[in-house]
Amino acid sequence: MRMYDLIEKKKTGKELSTEEIRFMVLHYTKGEIPDYQMSAMTMAVCFQGLSERETLDLTLAMRDSGDCLDLSGIHGVKADKHSTGGVGDKTSLVLAPIIAALGIPMAKMSGRGLGHTGGTIDKLECFPGFTTALSEETFIENVNRIQIAIAGQTANLAPADKKLYALRDVTATVDQLSLIASSIMSKKLASGSDVIVLDVKTGSGAFMKKEEDAKKLAQTMVSIGTMAGKKIAAVITDMDQPLGNAVGNSLEVVEAMESLSGRGPKDLMEVVYALGSKILMLADAAASETEAVEKMKACVANGSAKQKMAEFVEAQGGDASYVWDTELFPKASREIEVPALQEGYVNQIQAESVGAACMMLGGGRETKDSDIDLSVGIYLNKKVGSYVKKGEPIAMVYANDSQKGEDAAAQIQSAYGISAEKPAPSKMIKAVIQAF
Ligand code: URA
């Protein structure tokens, strides 16, 4: 078999066989197929697409390119949750302890942030001492003992995807639906949980700007998961404006801890409860969405979710006193008010622009090795639908560098749209995709 012939075949719109896909992934991972040939292949895929069968084969080949976690040592139905990435997305920090407090083992793999979207690992590292570099034994032991562990992706989990994703990133071939679906699902399948709930974001701050594309991506991932024997659902959620009010690592952790105390922003809690009810229903821990939401709300109200968060932080080496007293998190040295340019209703807050402003402050990663400042960020005082007076502070910028702070404040000001008419409320939960 020759890679040249496979490229030619895909270029002319033909289907690759299972053996051809496995050959390509295996030899690319071993370094026996050069990047230039694989780039030609991914570009051919962008033009010709992959069939459902080819997408499944690519996912399974990438899953099998490295280690698959064996979670059989964990008692009960193991759950994982994944977001396709958004601005202000601290959902996992609220959802995971709630699910664990309800007795469902949350065995989660997370990533770091890249570009304008943040990552759960960076947020967790705001707790001094916290580590996600857990051995497989510690990961399993923690989930059995306290029902929750969150680990970083190990080097040998789906290494083919790691290599291919880096290549796609520099060859303008990231935004192909089958390539995104197989990339995400190869890692989720290798992580070994039984229940997978996907949060597929759509809107200005998401990969999938259009709802119909988000639905197609969700359907593809759900069908891959189902064919691989997983209980899986996807929830399409709004990312047209940032989720919640806080954007930036420490600020988001503070908002998540407030949410665990029952003071969470409405949009964030809506997403948490929508994803959580899918997890509880797929894990047979609730018979209906109403029952699931009641259970989750009770767990926040009686303090058990917050208690679980503290146990989790401590179990992974972090200082749990920060869970109870969020004043301990380091603050940026400068606070800059962002005044409204006119009176009226906020009708948009461009999520991608807010994410870019956070990066400008040093709160996001330009490349995967960049250092980030955990204390900087933005707090949105006003969200879409709020009425504001001219000059009223619509947001606050937290910066450690005056010039960067001023630049970010200007960027935030232009991310807001204000009009005389009140915008129609938009739905947070756009659709739920599940196999039947
Ligand atoms: N996230 C991934 O893990 N892979 C993609 O291709 C896109 C987003």
Side-chain angles (χ1 to χ4, degrees):
M1 216 179 276
R2 291 192 317 158
M3 184 64 176
Y4 179 93
D5 300 326
L6 306 190
I7 298 168
E8 181 69 24
K9 198 169 173 187
K10 186 43 70 188
K11 185 183 82 178
T12 51
K14 300 193 184 74
E15 261 200 88
L16 299 173
S17 70
T18 304
E19 293 68 39
E20 287 167 336
I21 290 175
R22 290 196 86 83
F23 165 88
M24 175 174 91
V25 171
L26 175 73
H27 291 281
Y28 180 59
T29 312
K30 284 188 181 168
E32 292 160 5
I33 290 175
D35 278 347
Y36 52 81
Q37 283 194 309
M38 195 49 128
S39 327
M41 175 59 85
T42 52
M43 191 54 85
V45 168
C46 285
F47 287 113
Q48 299 290 2
L50 292 178
S51 68
E52 198 172 306
R53 200 263 312 141
E54 288 177 299
T55 308
L56 177 65
D57 284 339
L58 177 60
T59 311
L60 299 182
M62 293 203 293
R63 175 197 67 184
D64 298 339
S65 65
D67 301 334
C68 286
L69 279 184
D70 176 9
L71 300 185
S72 58
I74 298 176
H75 321 301
V77 181
K78 282 80 71 183
D80 193 358
K81 168 258 170 195
H82 180 82
S83 158
T84 56
V87 180
D89 186 7
K90 68 283 291 174
T91 311
S92 293
L93 295 185
V94 187
L95 178 62
I98 294 179
I99 297 298
L102 287 168
I104 310 296
M106 211 49 215
K108 188 170 159 39
M109 288 285 143
S110 283
R112 293 188 184 278
L114 186 60
H116 69 277
T117 62
T120 301
I121 294 188
D122 296 319
K123 288 167 204 165
L124 287 169
E125 284 176 354
C126 291
F127 292 100
F130 194 98
T131 179
T132 51
L134 302 179
S135 67
E136 201 168 325
E137 295 74 52
T138 309
F139 185 77
I140 292 174
E141 192 189 302
N142 285 8
V143 183
N144 274 334
R145 187 166 53 83
I146 59 166
Q147 288 73 50
I148 180 169
I150 298 186
Q153 194 182 326
T154 61
N156 208 32
L157 195 97
D161 170 63
K162 197 167 270 177
K163 209 171 160 192
L164 194 58
Y165 191 35
L167 183 73
R168 287 164 56 215
D169 205 24
V170 292
T171 53
T173 53
V174 167
D175 62 350
Q176 203 284 335
L177 196 140
S178 292
L179 296 180
I180 298 176
S182 54
S183 164
I184 293 174
M185 289 307 294
S186 62
K187 290 173 284 208
K188 290 289 113 182
L189 297 182
S191 317
S193 36
D194 312 301
V195 165
I196 301 168
V197 170
L198 304 165
D199 180 3
V200 180
K201 305 277 187 202
T202 182
S204 74
F207 254 122
M208 298 285 141
K209 310 279 179 220
K210 290 197 228 132
E211 199 175 316
E212 66 204 72
D213 292 339
K215 276 191 187 148
K216 276 191 219 148
L217 175 63
Q219 269 151 0
T220 307
M221 293 195 288
V222 167
S223 91
I224 292 171
T226 307
M227 286 189 274
K230 301 291 173 186
K231 291 184 169 184
I232 181 166
V235 183
I236 316 280
T237 69
D238 183 74
M239 187 33 72
D240 230 13
Q241 62 173 330
L243 188 61
N245 299 81
V247 178
N249 292 289
S250 295
L251 294 173
E252 290 188 41
V253 176
V254 173
E255 185 163 76
M257 297 309 102
E258 285 291 299
S259 304
L260 287 171
S261 296
R263 294 184 291 272
K266 190 168 165 291
D267 58 349
L268 170 63
M269 296 315 290
E270 213 178 314
V271 173
V272 167
Y273 291 139
L275 296 169
S277 53
K278 284 293 141 209
I279 294 180
L280 293 180
M281 286 163 73
L282 290 175
D284 293 325
S288 68
E289 202 165 316
T290 314
E291 185 193 336
V293 173
E294 268 171 21
K295 283 186 167 178
M296 289 185 282
K297 285 189 171 168
C299 194
V300 172
N302 67 22
S304 55
K306 191 138 182 205
Q307 179 62 41
K308 186 57 73 181
M309 183 74 199
E311 284 172 35
F312 160 55
V313 169
E314 197 171 314
Q316 295 198 205
D319 185 343
S321 60
Y322 284 61
V323 171
W324 305 110
D325 181 5
T326 54
E327 287 292 314
L328 293 171
F329 286 107
K331 291 181 186 60
S333 57
R334 292 213 52 204
E335 289 182 24
I336 303 164
E337 278 187 3
V338 182
L341 286 174
Q342 64 186 79
E343 180 161 352
Y345 290 97
V346 175
N347 66 1
Q348 73 162 351
I349 308 173
Q350 284 174 13
E352 200 160 356
S353 262
V354 176
C358 188
M359 279 191 69
M360 223 180 247
L361 294 167
R365 258 188 205 89
E366 302 276 354
T367 72
K368 69 180 175 34
D369 301 316
S370 338
D371 281 333
I372 53 172
D373 185 342
L374 297 172
S375 68
V376 298
I378 298 122
Y379 191 87
L380 306 168
N381 301 332
K382 302 288 176 185
K383 299 274 310 262
V384 170
S386 310
Y387 192 78
V388 295
K389 295 215 169 77
K390 187 175 174 185
E392 193 179 348
I394 45 178
M396 296 297 298
V397 167
Y398 296 89
N400 282 321
D401 175 294
S402 301
Q403 189 55 51
K404 287 181 184 167
E406 296 301 335
D407 292 347
Q411 165 113 353
I412 296 294
Q413 205 164 37
S414 54
Y416 271 81
I418 299 176
S419 71
E421 272 169 43
K422 189 168 181 161
S426 79
K427 283 194 343 197
M428 273 317 290
I429 311 301
K430 310 278 188 192
V432 175
I433 312 281
Q434 214 169 324
F436 291 101

